[in-house]
Amino acid sequence: MGVRKMNGPNNSIGWCDYTWTPVTGCQRNCWYCYVKRLRGYNMQPHFHPERLSEPIKLKKPARIFVCSTADLFGEWVIEDWIKQVLWTIHQCPQHTFQLLTKCPERIVHFTDALRKPNIWVGVTVEQAQYLSRLKAFLFIAKQYSLKRLFVSFEPLLSRMNIEPEELKGLRWIIIGAYTGKDADLLRPKLEWIRDIIAKAAKLKVPVFLKDNLRPVWKEELRQEFSEKLK
């Protein structure tokens, strides 16, 4: 099934109401990828045109995370697949669609479509060595006037050596932990999380701490949304 409800008590994502997977599979081969741990899951990229209409059937406005088991803007994803997914999104102005990528350079080819008010575009940054990904993402967004932007620091595997001004342009920040084998040994340090929150606070950017941070974050979890995402 392409649409999966995620707003119940067992929601492992937390920041969306549904996931929608018209494209599945990924060729990035990240060692920490949770998708690779799913039993029987095929990482070969695949298009599911039969799933395109599923968001249209959801009448109640919802936050929908697109391609939770893939990277829609991966270089291995056929351009026509992306266009069909974006076309469906445009038919559903009642919903808010959340697109997350590690390939920000490719969004350049779809910026006209991504300016729609019901689309949020985000970039994943898991270690400080990949902060260049965030910088490229924000540069492209500024060049092409993309406004609804977020970053996901998940899994947070190192301190993010970044200044507050380098987060300028973001409207939302997500932080999460690694959840696979040896998760206890790879949990983010509390000071890493606090550092990101402090820098976000200077820019008044809301922060969403995922439930998988509970072993580290002993206080009540901050699970904030941008006003447009509520």
Side-chain angles (χ1 to χ4, degrees):
M1 183 176 178
V3 167
R4 181 184 175 194
K5 191 172 184 179
M6 298 298 290
N7 57 356
N10 297 317
N11 182 355
S12 61
I13 295 179
W15 45 264
C16 65
D17 300 317
Y18 294 87
T19 59
W20 172 46
T21 54
V23 175
T24 56
C26 181
Q27 294 185 342
R28 185 171 287 277
N29 198 32
C30 300
W31 65 264
Y32 53 80
C33 179
Y34 83 95
V35 178
K36 293 196 295 184
R37 301 195 299 270
L38 299 177
R39 182 177 298 178
Y41 193 82
N42 184 359
M43 295 301 289
Q44 185 64 30
H46 187 75
F47 182 47
H48 303 270
E50 72 280 4
R51 298 178 179 178
L52 286 173
S53 64
E54 291 177 343
I56 299 173
K57 300 173 184 176
L58 298 174
K59 302 305 180 183
K60 184 178 179 180
R63 297 184 300 264
I64 301 175
F65 178 22
V66 181
C67 296
S68 60
T69 58
D71 188 330
L72 183 64
F73 298 106
E75 60 186 23
W76 51 86
V77 179
I78 295 172
E79 183 173 330
D80 185 60
W81 297 0
I82 301 173
K83 288 181 177 179
Q84 290 191 58
V85 171
L86 292 174
W87 183 88
T88 299
I89 289 173
H90 296 166
Q91 308 313 304
C92 302
Q94 74 274 28
H95 301 315
T96 297
F97 292 86
Q98 300 152 305
L99 284 65
L100 192 56
T101 186
K102 292 179 183 174
C103 304
E105 294 83 2
R106 200 171 184 207
I107 67 175
V108 169
H109 305 294
F110 307 96
T111 50
D112 285 346
L114 295 175
R115 290 194 196 98
K116 298 293 183 181
N118 67 330
I119 295 180
W120 280 68
V121 188
V123 64
T124 297
V125 180
E126 61 276 34
Q127 291 178 280
Q129 69 190 75
Y130 300 125
L131 280 169
S132 58
R133 197 184 291 156
L134 175 59
K135 293 176 182 178
F137 173 69
L138 291 174
F139 176 80
I140 292 167
K142 184 176 181 180
Q143 291 293 108
Y144 291 91
S145 301
L146 300 179
K147 303 297 184 184
R148 290 161 291 278
L149 312 174
F150 68 102
V151 61
S152 175
F153 294 114
E154 187 190 11
L156 182 61
L157 299 172
S158 74
R159 177 185 288 276
M160 292 297 159
N161 300 311
I162 190 169
E163 297 301 321
E165 57 266 23
E166 294 179 276
L167 298 172
K168 191 173 182 180
L170 293 173
R171 302 277 294 279
W172 192 35
I173 292 174
I174 299 167
I175 306 175
Y178 174 71
T179 57
K181 185 180 178 181
D182 297 325
D184 290 349
L185 302 176
L186 292 167
R187 284 178 181 148
K189 296 184 182 301
L190 182 60
E191 57 263 32
W192 300 352
I193 302 170
R194 291 195 184 281
D195 184 56
I196 294 172
I197 291 174
K199 290 169 179 175
K202 290 183 178 180
L203 298 173
K204 298 182 179 179
V205 177
V207 176
F208 188 99
L209 301 183
K210 288 195 62 176
D211 286 351
N212 57 30
L213 290 172
R214 290 188 188 278
V216 180
W217 190 270
K218 301 303 182 180
E219 306 168 31
E220 182 178 353
L221 287 175
R222 295 179 56 153
Q223 295 192 327
E224 303 165 340
F225 290 89
S226 172
E227 287 298 323
K228 295 290 185 179
L229 277 165
K230 290 182 179 179

